[in-house]
Amino acid sequence: MTVHDEVCGMDITPEEAVAKTDFQGTTYYFCAERCLLRFEEHPGWYVAIKPGSGCVEK
Ligand SMILES: [Zn+2]
């Protein structure tokens, strides 16, 4: 199973994720601290693009 790093677009496994955060009841994983920081600056922006992306569920 892989998760999508919403900031940089990488697919990673939760085990190799360096950082994670909960936003609106969903856990988001990131490949680097700097991706987490960018997400936390604009979480709504990264989450808002999700419904149209169509490649989130794996
Ligand atoms: Zn990343």
Side-chain angles (χ1 to χ4, degrees):
M1 169 198 154
T2 59
V3 293
H4 198 63
D5 182 328
E6 300 294 338
V7 174
C8 69
M10 271 181 64
D11 286 321
I12 55 176
T13 64
E15 290 75 36
E16 67 186 359
V18 173
K20 66 176 181 176
T21 190
D22 289 310
F23 182 71
Q24 295 181 342
T26 302
T27 304
Y28 295 91
Y29 295 89
F30 304 97
C31 67
E33 286 284 334
R34 119 191 104 107
C35 286
L36 172 63
L37 293 176
R38 283 175 62 184
F39 181 87
E40 289 187 329
E41 281 177 26
H42 304 286
W45 189 84
Y46 290 108
V47 172
I49 62 176
K50 230 173 170 182
S53 67
C55 59
V56 174
E57 295 190 50
K58 294 207 167 151

